[in-house]
Coordinates of all heavy atoms in Angstrom, one line a residue:
H1 N 0.8 -1.2 0.0 CA 0.0 0.0 0.0 C 0.8 1.3 0.0 O 1.9 1.4 0.6 CB -0.9 0.0 1.3 CG -2.0 -0.9 1.1 ND1 -2.1 -2.0 2.1 CD2 -3.2 -0.9 0.4 CE1 -3.2 -2.6 1.7 NE2 -3.8 -2.1 0.8
V2 N 0.4 2.2 -0.7 CA 1.1 3.6 -0.8 C 1.1 4.2 0.6 O 2.1 4.8 1.1 CB 0.4 4.5 -1.8 CG1 1.1 5.9 -1.7 CG2 0.5 3.9 -3.2
L3 N 0.0 4.0 1.3 CA -0.1 4.7 2.6 C 0.9 4.1 3.6 O 1.6 4.8 4.3 CB -1.4 4.6 3.3 CG -1.7 5.0 4.6 CD1 -1.4 6.4 4.8 CD2 -3.1 4.8 5.1
Q4 N 1.0 2.8 3.7 CA 2.0 2.1 4.5 C 3.4 2.6 4.2 O 4.3 2.7 4.9 CB 1.9 0.6 4.4 CG 0.5 0.1 4.9 CD 0.2 0.5 6.4 OE1 1.1 0.8 7.1 NE2 -1.1 0.6 6.7
C5 N 3.7 2.7 2.8 CA 5.0 3.1 2.4 C 5.3 4.6 2.9 O 6.4 4.9 3.4 CB 5.1 3.1 0.9 SG 6.6 3.6 0.2
I6 N 4.3 5.4 2.8 CA 4.5 6.9 3.2 C 4.9 6.8 4.7 O 5.8 7.6 5.2 CB 3.3 7.7 2.9 CG1 3.2 8.0 1.3 CG2 3.3 9.0 3.7 CD1 1.9 8.5 1.0
I7 N 4.1 6.1 5.5 CA 4.2 6.2 6.9 C 5.6 5.5 7.3 O 6.2 6.0 8.1 CB 3.1 5.4 7.5 CG1 1.8 6.3 7.4 CG2 3.3 5.2 9.1 CD1 0.5 5.6 7.8
R8 N 5.8 4.4 6.8 CA 7.0 3.6 7.0 C 8.3 4.5 6.8 O 9.3 4.5 7.5 CB 7.2 2.4 6.3 CG 7.5 1.2 7.1 CD 7.7 -0.1 6.3 NE 7.1 -0.1 5.0 CZ 5.9 -0.8 4.7 NH1 5.3 -1.4 5.6 NH2 5.5 -0.8 3.5
N9 N 8.3 5.3 5.6 CA 9.4 6.1 5.2 C 9.5 7.4 6.1 O 10.2 8.2 5.8 CB 9.3 6.4 3.8 CG 9.7 5.2 3.0 OD1 10.4 4.2 3.5 ND2 9.1 4.9 1.8
G10 N 8.5 7.6 7.0 CA 8.5 8.8 7.8 C 8.3 10.1 7.1 O 8.9 11.1 7.5
N11 N 7.5 10.1 6.1 CA 7.2 11.4 5.3 C 6.3 12.3 6.1 O 5.1 12.4 5.9 CB 6.6 11.1 4.0 CG 6.5 12.2 3.0 OD1 6.6 13.4 3.5 ND2 6.3 12.1 1.8
Q12 N 6.9 12.8 7.1 CA 6.0 13.6 8.0 C 5.8 15.0 7.6 O 5.2 15.9 8.3 CB 6.8 13.7 9.5 CG 6.8 12.2 10.1 CD 7.5 12.1 11.4 OE1 8.1 13.1 11.8 NE2 7.3 11.0 12.0
N13 N 6.3 15.4 6.5 CA 6.0 16.9 5.9 C 4.8 16.8 4.9 O 4.5 17.8 4.5 CB 7.2 17.3 5.0 CG 8.4 17.6 6.1 OD1 8.2 18.0 7.1 ND2 9.6 17.2 5.6
L14 N 4.2 15.6 4.8 CA 3.0 15.5 4.0 C 1.8 16.4 4.6 O 1.7 16.3 5.8 CB 2.5 14.1 4.0 CG 1.5 13.7 3.1 CD1 1.9 13.9 1.6 CD2 1.0 12.4 3.3
V15 N 1.3 17.3 3.8 CA 0.3 18.2 4.4 C -1.1 17.8 3.8 O -2.1 18.3 4.4 CB 0.6 19.6 4.1 CG1 1.7 20.1 4.8 CG2 0.7 20.0 2.6
Y16 N -1.2 17.2 2.7 CA -2.6 16.8 2.1 C -2.6 15.3 1.9 O -1.5 14.8 1.3 CB -2.8 17.5 0.8 CG -4.0 17.1 0.0 CD1 -5.2 17.6 0.3 CD2 -3.8 16.1 -0.9 CE1 -6.4 17.0 -0.5 CE2 -4.9 15.6 -1.7 CZ -6.1 16.1 -1.4 OH -7.2 15.7 -2.2
F17 N -3.6 14.4 2.2 CA -3.7 13.2 1.8 C -5.1 12.7 1.6 O -6.0 13.1 2.3 CB -3.1 12.3 3.1 CG -2.8 10.9 2.7 CD1 -1.6 10.5 1.9 CD2 -3.6 9.9 3.0 CE1 -1.5 9.2 1.6 CE2 -3.4 8.6 2.7 CZ -2.3 8.3 1.9
E18 N -5.2 12.0 0.5 CA -6.5 11.5 0.2 C -6.4 10.0 0.0 O -5.5 9.5 -0.6 CB -7.0 12.1 -1.2 CG -8.3 11.5 -1.6 CD -8.8 12.2 -2.8 OE1 -8.2 13.2 -3.3 OE2 -10.0 11.8 -3.4
I19 N -7.4 9.3 0.5 CA -7.4 7.8 0.5 C -8.9 7.4 0.2 O -9.7 7.8 1.1 CB -6.7 7.1 1.5 CG1 -6.7 5.5 1.3 CG2 -7.3 7.5 3.0 CD1 -5.8 4.8 2.2
R20 N -9.1 6.5 -0.5 CA -10.4 6.0 -1.0 C -10.5 4.6 -1.1 O -9.6 3.9 -1.5 CB -11.0 6.6 -2.3 CG -11.2 8.1 -2.3 CD -11.7 8.5 -3.8 NE -11.6 9.9 -3.9 CZ -12.4 10.5 -4.6 NH1 -13.4 10.0 -5.2 NH2 -12.3 11.9 -4.7
G21 N -11.7 4.0 -0.8 CA -11.8 2.5 -0.9 C -10.9 1.6 -0.2 O -10.6 0.6 -0.7
N22 N -10.4 2.1 0.9 CA -9.4 1.3 1.7 C -10.1 0.5 2.8 O -10.9 1.1 3.5 CB -8.4 2.2 2.3 CG -7.3 1.5 3.0 OD1 -6.8 0.5 2.7 ND2 -7.0 2.0 4.3
N23 N -10.0 -0.7 2.9 CA -10.6 -1.4 3.9 C -9.7 -2.0 5.0 O -10.0 -2.7 5.9 CB -11.3 -2.7 3.4 CG -12.6 -2.2 2.6 OD1 -13.3 -1.4 3.2 ND2 -12.7 -2.8 1.4
S24 N -8.4 -1.5 4.9 CA -7.4 -2.0 6.0 C -7.1 -0.8 6.9 O -7.4 0.3 6.7 CB -6.2 -2.5 5.2 OG -5.6 -1.4 4.6
G25 N -6.5 -1.2 8.0 CA -6.2 -0.1 9.1 C -5.1 0.7 8.5 O -4.3 0.4 7.6
F26 N -4.7 1.8 9.3 CA -3.6 2.6 9.0 C -3.3 3.4 10.2 O -3.9 3.5 11.1 CB -3.9 3.6 7.8 CG -5.2 4.4 7.9 CD1 -5.2 5.6 8.6 CD2 -6.3 3.9 7.5 CE1 -6.4 6.4 8.7 CE2 -7.6 4.6 7.6 CZ -7.6 5.8 8.3
E27 N -2.0 4.0 10.1 CA -1.5 4.7 11.2 C -1.2 6.2 10.9 O -0.2 6.7 10.9 CB -0.1 4.1 11.8 CG -0.2 2.7 12.3 CD 1.1 2.2 12.6 OE1 2.0 2.9 12.8 OE2 1.3 0.9 12.6
I28 N -2.4 6.9 10.5 CA -2.3 8.1 10.0 C -1.9 9.2 11.0 O -1.4 10.3 10.6 CB -3.8 8.6 9.5 CG1 -3.6 9.7 8.6 CG2 -4.6 8.9 10.7 CD1 -3.3 9.2 7.2
Q29 N -1.9 8.9 12.3 CA -1.5 9.8 13.4 C 0.0 10.1 13.3 O 0.5 11.1 13.8 CB -1.9 9.3 14.8 CG -1.1 8.1 15.2 CD -1.6 6.8 14.8 OE1 -2.5 6.7 14.0 NE2 -1.0 5.7 15.4
R30 N 0.9 9.4 12.6 CA 2.2 9.6 12.4 C 2.6 10.7 11.5 O 3.6 11.2 11.4 CB 3.0 8.3 12.0 CG 2.8 7.3 13.1 CD 3.5 6.0 12.9 NE 5.0 6.2 12.5 CZ 5.8 5.3 12.0 NH1 5.4 4.1 11.6 NH2 7.0 5.6 11.8
L31 N 1.6 11.2 10.7 CA 1.8 12.3 9.7 C 1.4 13.6 10.4 O 0.4 14.2 10.2 CB 0.9 12.0 8.5 CG 1.2 10.7 7.7 CD1 0.2 10.5 6.7 CD2 2.6 10.6 7.3
Q32 N 2.3 14.0 11.3 CA 2.1 15.1 12.2 C 1.8 16.5 11.5 O 1.1 17.4 12.1 CB 3.2 15.3 13.2 CG 3.5 14.2 14.0 CD 2.3 14.0 15.1 OE1 2.0 15.0 15.7 NE2 1.8 12.8 15.2
N33 N 2.2 16.7 10.3 CA 2.0 18.0 9.5 C 0.9 17.9 8.7 O 0.7 19.0 7.9 CB 3.3 18.4 8.8 CG 4.3 18.8 9.8 OD1 4.2 19.4 10.7 ND2 5.6 18.4 9.5
L34 N 0.1 16.9 8.6 CA -1.1 16.9 7.8 C -2.1 17.9 8.2 O -2.5 18.2 9.3 CB -1.7 15.4 8.1 CG -2.5 14.9 7.0 CD1 -1.7 14.7 5.7 CD2 -3.1 13.6 7.3
R35 N -2.5 18.6 7.0 CA -3.5 19.7 7.3 C -4.9 19.4 6.6 O -5.9 19.8 7.0 CB -3.0 21.0 6.6 CG -1.8 21.6 7.2 CD -1.4 22.9 6.8 NE -0.1 23.4 7.2 CZ 0.2 23.7 8.4 NH1 -0.7 23.7 9.3 NH2 1.5 24.1 8.7
V36 N -4.9 18.5 5.7 CA -6.1 18.1 4.9 C -6.1 16.6 4.7 O -5.1 16.0 4.3 CB -6.4 18.8 3.6 CG1 -7.5 18.3 2.9 CG2 -6.3 20.4 3.6
L37 N -7.2 16.0 5.1 CA -7.4 14.5 5.1 C -8.8 14.2 4.4 O -9.8 14.5 5.0 CB -7.2 14.0 6.4 CG -7.3 12.4 6.6 CD1 -6.3 11.7 5.8 CD2 -7.3 12.0 8.0
W38 N -8.7 13.4 3.3 CA -9.8 12.9 2.7 C -9.9 11.5 2.9 O -9.0 10.8 2.4 CB -9.8 13.3 1.2 CG -10.1 14.8 0.9 CD1 -9.8 15.8 1.6 CD2 -10.7 15.3 -0.2 NE1 -10.1 17.0 1.1 CE2 -10.6 16.7 -0.1 CE3 -11.1 14.7 -1.4 CZ2 -11.1 17.6 -1.1 CZ3 -11.6 15.6 -2.4 CH2 -11.7 17.0 -2.2
L39 N -11.0 11.0 3.5 CA -11.2 9.6 3.7 C -12.5 9.0 3.2 O -13.3 8.5 3.9 CB -11.1 9.3 5.3 CG -9.7 9.5 6.0 CD1 -9.9 9.4 7.4 CD2 -8.7 8.6 5.4
H40 N -12.6 9.3 1.9 CA -13.9 8.9 1.2 C -14.0 7.3 1.1 O -13.1 6.7 0.7 CB -14.0 9.4 -0.2 CG -14.0 10.9 -0.3 ND1 -15.0 11.7 -0.3 CD2 -12.9 11.7 -0.6 CE1 -14.7 12.9 -0.4 NE2 -13.4 13.0 -0.5
D41 N -15.2 6.9 1.4 CA -15.6 5.5 1.1 C -14.6 4.4 1.5 O -14.1 3.5 0.9 CB -15.8 5.3 -0.4 CG -16.9 6.3 -0.9 OD1 -18.0 6.4 -0.3 OD2 -16.6 6.9 -2.0
N42 N -14.3 4.5 2.8 CA -13.2 3.6 3.4 C -13.8 2.7 4.4 O -13.2 1.9 5.2 CB -12.1 4.4 4.0 CG -11.1 5.0 3.0 OD1 -10.4 4.3 2.3 ND2 -11.3 6.2 2.8
N43 N -15.2 2.5 4.6 CA -15.9 1.7 5.4 C -15.4 1.9 6.9 O -15.3 1.0 7.6 CB -15.7 0.3 5.0 CG -16.8 -0.6 5.6 OD1 -17.9 -0.2 5.9 ND2 -16.4 -1.8 5.9
I44 N -15.1 3.2 7.2 CA -14.7 3.6 8.6 C -16.0 3.8 9.4 O -16.8 4.6 9.1 CB -13.9 4.9 8.5 CG1 -12.6 4.6 7.8 CG2 -13.6 5.4 10.1 CD1 -11.8 5.9 7.5
S45 N -16.1 2.9 10.5 CA -17.3 3.1 11.3 C -16.8 3.8 12.7 O -17.7 4.2 13.4 CB -17.9 1.7 11.7 OG -17.0 0.8 12.2
E46 N -15.6 3.8 12.9 CA -15.0 4.4 14.2 C -13.6 4.9 13.9 O -12.8 4.2 13.4 CB -15.1 3.5 15.4 CG -14.7 4.1 16.7 CD -14.7 3.1 17.7 OE1 -15.4 2.1 17.6 OE2 -14.2 3.3 18.8
M47 N -13.4 6.2 14.3 CA -12.0 6.7 14.2 C -11.2 6.4 15.4 O -11.7 6.6 16.5 CB -12.1 8.2 14.0 CG -11.1 8.8 13.1 SD -10.6 8.2 11.6 CE -11.8 9.0 10.6
P48 N -9.9 6.1 15.3 CA -9.1 5.8 16.5 C -8.8 7.0 17.3 O -8.7 8.2 16.7 CB -7.9 5.2 15.8 CG -7.8 5.6 14.5 CD -9.2 5.9 14.1
E49 N -8.7 6.9 18.5 CA -8.3 8.0 19.4 C -7.1 8.8 19.0 O -7.0 10.0 19.3 CB -8.2 7.5 20.9 CG -9.5 7.1 21.5 CD -10.3 8.2 22.0 OE1 -9.7 9.3 22.4 OE2 -11.6 8.1 22.1
E50 N -6.2 8.0 18.4 CA -4.9 8.6 17.9 C -5.1 9.6 17.0 O -4.1 10.5 16.8 CB -4.0 7.5 17.4 CG -3.6 6.5 18.4 CD -4.6 5.4 18.7 OE1 -5.6 5.3 18.0 OE2 -4.4 4.6 19.6
I51 N -6.2 9.8 16.3 CA -6.4 10.9 15.4 C -6.3 12.2 16.0 O -5.8 13.2 15.3 CB -7.8 10.7 14.6 CG1 -7.9 11.5 13.4 CG2 -8.9 11.1 15.6 CD1 -7.2 10.8 12.2
K52 N -6.3 12.4 17.2 CA -6.3 13.6 18.0 C -4.8 14.1 17.9 O -4.6 15.3 18.2 CB -6.8 13.6 19.4 CG -5.9 12.7 20.3 CD -6.5 12.5 21.7 CE -5.6 11.6 22.5 NZ -6.3 11.2 23.7
E53 N -3.9 13.3 17.6 CA -2.5 13.6 17.5 C -2.2 14.5 16.2 O -1.3 15.1 16.1 CB -1.5 12.5 17.4 CG -1.7 11.5 18.6 CD -1.4 12.3 19.9 OE1 -0.5 13.1 19.9 OE2 -2.0 12.0 20.9
L54 N -3.3 14.7 15.3 CA -3.0 15.5 14.1 C -3.5 16.9 14.4 O -4.4 17.5 14.0 CB -3.8 14.9 12.9 CG -3.5 13.5 12.6 CD1 -4.5 13.0 11.5 CD2 -2.1 13.4 12.1
K55 N -2.7 17.5 15.2 CA -3.0 18.9 15.7 C -3.0 20.0 14.7 O -3.6 21.0 14.9 CB -2.0 19.2 16.8 CG -1.8 18.2 17.9 CD -1.9 18.8 19.2 CE -1.6 17.8 20.3 NZ -2.8 17.1 20.7
K56 N -2.4 19.9 13.5 CA -2.4 20.8 12.4 C -3.5 20.5 11.5 O -3.6 21.4 10.5 CB -1.0 20.9 11.8 CG 0.0 21.2 12.6 CD 1.4 21.2 11.9 CE 2.6 21.6 12.9 NZ 3.9 21.7 12.3
L57 N -4.3 19.6 11.6 CA -5.4 19.2 10.7 C -6.4 20.4 10.7 O -6.9 20.7 11.8 CB -6.0 17.9 11.1 CG -6.8 17.1 10.1 CD1 -5.9 16.9 8.8 CD2 -7.4 15.9 10.5
E58 N -6.7 20.8 9.5 CA -7.7 21.9 9.3 C -9.0 21.4 8.7 O -10.0 22.1 8.9 CB -7.0 23.0 8.5 CG -5.8 23.6 9.0 CD -5.1 24.5 8.0 OE1 -5.5 24.7 6.9 OE2 -4.1 25.0 8.4
G59 N -8.8 20.4 7.9 CA -10.2 20.0 7.3 C -10.1 18.4 7.0 O -9.1 17.9 6.7
M60 N -11.2 17.7 7.2 CA -11.3 16.4 7.0 C -12.6 16.0 6.4 O -13.7 16.4 6.9 CB -11.1 15.6 8.3 CG -11.3 14.0 8.2 SD -11.4 13.3 9.8 CE -9.7 13.2 10.2
T61 N -12.6 15.2 5.2 CA -13.8 14.7 4.6 C -13.9 13.2 4.9 O -13.0 12.5 4.6 CB -13.7 15.1 3.2 OG1 -13.6 16.4 3.0 CG2 -15.0 14.6 2.4
V62 N -15.0 12.9 5.5 CA -15.3 11.4 5.7 C -16.6 10.9 5.2 O -17.1 9.9 5.6 CB -15.3 11.2 7.2 CG1 -13.8 11.4 7.9 CG2 -16.2 12.0 7.9
R63 N -16.9 11.5 4.0 CA -18.3 11.0 3.4 C -18.1 9.6 2.9 O -17.1 9.1 2.6 CB -18.6 12.0 2.3 CG -17.8 11.9 1.1 CD -18.4 12.8 -0.1 NE -17.4 12.9 -1.3 CZ -17.5 12.1 -2.3 NH1 -18.5 11.2 -2.4 NH2 -16.7 12.2 -3.2
G64 N -19.3 8.9 2.9 CA -19.4 7.6 2.5 C -18.9 6.6 3.5 O -18.5 5.5 3.1
N65 N -18.7 7.0 4.7 CA -18.3 6.0 5.7 C -19.4 5.9 6.8 O -20.1 6.8 7.0 CB -17.0 6.6 6.5 CG -15.9 6.5 5.6 OD1 -15.3 5.5 5.3 ND2 -15.4 7.7 5.1
P66 N -19.6 4.7 7.3 CA -20.7 4.5 8.3 C -20.3 5.0 9.7 O -20.4 4.4 10.7 CB -20.9 3.0 8.3 CG -19.6 2.4 7.9 CD -18.9 3.4 7.0
L67 N -19.9 6.3 9.9 CA -19.5 6.9 11.2 C -20.8 7.2 11.9 O -20.8 7.1 13.2 CB -18.8 8.1 11.0 CG -17.3 7.9 10.6 CD1 -16.7 9.2 10.2 CD2 -16.5 7.3 11.8
G68 N -21.8 7.7 11.3 CA -23.0 8.1 12.0 C -22.8 9.5 12.7 O -21.7 9.9 12.8
E69 N -23.9 10.0 13.3 CA -23.9 11.2 14.0 C -22.9 11.1 15.3 O -22.0 12.1 15.5 CB -25.3 11.7 14.4 CG -25.2 13.0 14.9 CD -26.7 13.5 15.1 OE1 -27.7 13.1 14.5 OE2 -26.8 14.3 16.1
E70 N -23.1 10.0 15.9 CA -22.2 9.9 17.2 C -20.7 9.9 16.8 O -19.9 10.5 17.4 CB -22.5 8.6 17.9 CG -21.9 8.3 19.1 CD -22.3 7.0 19.8 OE1 -23.5 6.7 19.8 OE2 -21.5 6.4 20.4
G71 N -20.3 9.1 15.8 CA -18.9 9.0 15.3 C -18.4 10.5 14.8 O -17.2 10.7 15.1
V72 N -19.3 11.2 14.1 CA -18.9 12.5 13.7 C -18.7 13.5 14.8 O -17.7 14.3 14.9 CB -19.9 13.0 12.6 CG1 -19.5 14.5 12.3 CG2 -19.9 12.2 11.4
N73 N -19.5 13.3 15.8 CA -19.5 14.2 17.0 C -18.2 13.9 17.8 O -17.6 14.8 18.3 CB -20.7 14.1 17.9 CG -21.8 14.7 17.3 OD1 -21.8 15.6 16.4 ND2 -23.1 14.3 17.6
K74 N -17.8 12.5 17.8 CA -16.6 12.2 18.5 C -15.4 12.8 17.8 O -14.5 13.3 18.4 CB -16.5 10.6 18.5 CG -15.2 10.2 19.3 CD -15.1 8.7 19.4 CE -13.8 8.3 20.0 NZ -13.5 6.9 19.9
L75 N -15.4 12.8 16.5 CA -14.3 13.4 15.6 C -14.2 14.9 16.0 O -13.1 15.4 16.1 CB -14.6 13.2 14.2 CG -14.0 12.0 13.5 CD1 -14.4 12.0 12.0 CD2 -12.6 12.2 13.6
K76 N -15.3 15.6 16.1 CA -15.3 17.0 16.3 C -14.8 17.2 17.7 O -14.1 18.3 17.9 CB -16.8 17.5 16.2 CG -17.1 17.6 14.8 CD -18.6 18.1 14.7 CE -19.0 18.2 13.3 NZ -20.4 18.6 13.0
E77 N -15.0 16.3 18.6 CA -14.4 16.5 20.0 C -12.9 16.3 20.0 O -12.1 17.0 20.6 CB -15.1 15.5 21.0 CG -16.5 15.8 21.4 CD -17.0 14.8 22.3 OE1 -16.3 14.0 23.0 OE2 -18.3 14.6 22.2
L78 N -12.4 15.3 19.2 CA -11.1 14.9 19.2 C -10.2 16.0 18.4 O -9.0 16.2 18.8 CB -10.9 13.5 18.6 CG -11.3 12.3 19.3 CD1 -11.3 11.1 18.4 CD2 -10.5 12.1 20.6
L79 N -10.9 16.6 17.4 CA -10.3 17.6 16.5 C -11.0 18.8 16.5 O -11.6 19.3 15.5 CB -10.1 17.1 15.1 CG -9.3 15.7 15.0 CD1 -9.7 15.1 13.6 CD2 -7.8 16.0 15.1
P80 N -11.0 19.5 17.6 CA -11.9 20.8 17.8 C -11.6 21.9 16.7 O -12.4 22.8 16.4 CB -11.6 21.2 19.2 CG -10.4 20.7 19.6 CD -10.3 19.3 18.8
N81 N -10.3 22.0 16.2 CA -10.0 23.1 15.2 C -10.0 22.7 13.8 O -9.5 23.3 13.0 CB -8.5 23.5 15.8 CG -8.5 24.1 17.0 OD1 -9.4 24.9 17.5 ND2 -7.5 23.7 17.8
C82 N -10.6 21.5 13.6 CA -10.6 20.9 12.3 C -12.1 20.9 11.8 O -13.1 20.5 12.6 CB -10.2 19.5 12.3 SG -10.3 18.6 10.8
K83 N -12.3 21.4 10.6 CA -13.6 21.3 10.0 C -13.9 19.9 9.5 O -13.1 19.4 8.7 CB -13.9 22.2 8.9 CG -13.9 23.7 9.2 CD -14.1 24.5 8.1 CE -14.2 26.0 8.6 NZ -14.5 27.0 7.6
I84 N -14.9 19.2 9.9 CA -15.3 17.8 9.5 C -16.4 17.8 8.5 O -17.5 18.4 8.8 CB -15.7 17.0 10.8 CG1 -14.7 17.2 11.9 CG2 -16.0 15.6 10.4 CD1 -13.4 16.4 11.6
Y85 N -16.2 17.3 7.4 CA -17.3 17.3 6.4 C -17.7 15.8 6.2 O -16.9 15.0 5.9 CB -16.7 17.7 4.9 CG -16.2 19.2 5.0 CD1 -14.9 19.5 5.3 CD2 -17.0 20.2 5.0 CE1 -14.3 20.7 5.4 CE2 -16.6 21.6 5.1 CZ -15.3 21.7 5.3 OH -14.8 23.0 5.4
Y86 N -19.1 15.7 6.4 CA -19.6 14.3 6.4 C -20.9 14.1 5.8 O -21.9 15.0 5.9 CB -19.8 13.8 7.8 CG -20.5 12.4 8.0 CD1 -19.8 11.3 7.8 CD2 -21.8 12.4 8.4 CE1 -20.4 10.1 7.9 CE2 -22.4 11.1 8.7 CZ -21.7 10.0 8.3 OH -22.4 8.8 8.4
L87 N -21.1 13.2 4.8 CA -22.4 12.8 4.2 C -22.3 11.4 4.2 O -21.5 10.6 3.9 CB -22.4 13.3 2.7 CG -22.5 14.8 2.5 CD1 -22.3 15.0 1.0 CD2 -23.8 15.4 2.9
P88 N -23.4 10.8 4.8 CA -23.5 9.2 4.9 C -23.5 8.6 3.6 O -23.8 9.3 2.5 CB -24.8 9.1 5.7 CG -25.5 10.4 5.7 CD -24.6 11.4 5.3

């Protein structure tokens, strides 16, 4: 996977990342300078607590994931300075 390669190689200067149609786990929290994250259609029903480590994140799109209102509200709590865009 490209994502695993980016993370393993320590590309911590990455500021924009888009991933779609992924059904495997990932360690996105290691990308500390990430500002924009698009996670379309990845079958994500719950975001890991570690997502809060992305302190520079300004925008995240999670449309097409079964997060539900509760999951989106949790994301907003974990990332209070990030705009969360969600459509079921």
Side-chain angles (χ1 to χ4, degrees):
H1 287 111
V2 172
L3 176 60
Q4 296 301 334
C5 180
I6 289 169
I7 291 171
R8 230 186 338 254
N9 291 328
N11 190 344
Q12 296 177 351
N13 292 321
L14 191 67
V15 294
Y16 169 88
F17 193 75
E18 179 175 354
I19 185 167
R20 297 180 191 210
N22 182 47
N23 289 317
S24 61
F26 51 90
E27 296 178 22
I28 202 76
Q29 72 274 7
R30 292 182 57 192
L31 301 173
Q32 296 293 309
N33 289 316
L34 207 57
R35 295 191 192 283
V36 179
L37 179 60
W38 287 28
L39 295 172
H40 298 273
D41 304 315
N42 286 289
N43 201 29
I44 298 170
S45 58
E46 186 176 341
M47 204 58 83
E49 290 280 328
E50 292 83 7
I51 198 82
K52 67 184 177 191
E53 300 302 320
L54 300 178
K55 306 225 185 278
K56 295 182 181 179
L57 201 61
E58 298 169 358
M60 174 189 279
T61 302
V62 290
R63 74 177 169 93
N65 290 291
L67 283 168
E69 188 175 333
E70 185 178 323
V72 173
N73 288 337
K74 180 180 177 184
L75 262 179
K76 289 178 180 180
E77 287 176 24
L78 293 171
L79 299 165
N81 298 318
C82 179
K83 290 186 180 185
I84 308 293
Y85 301 95
Y86 172 75
L87 292 170

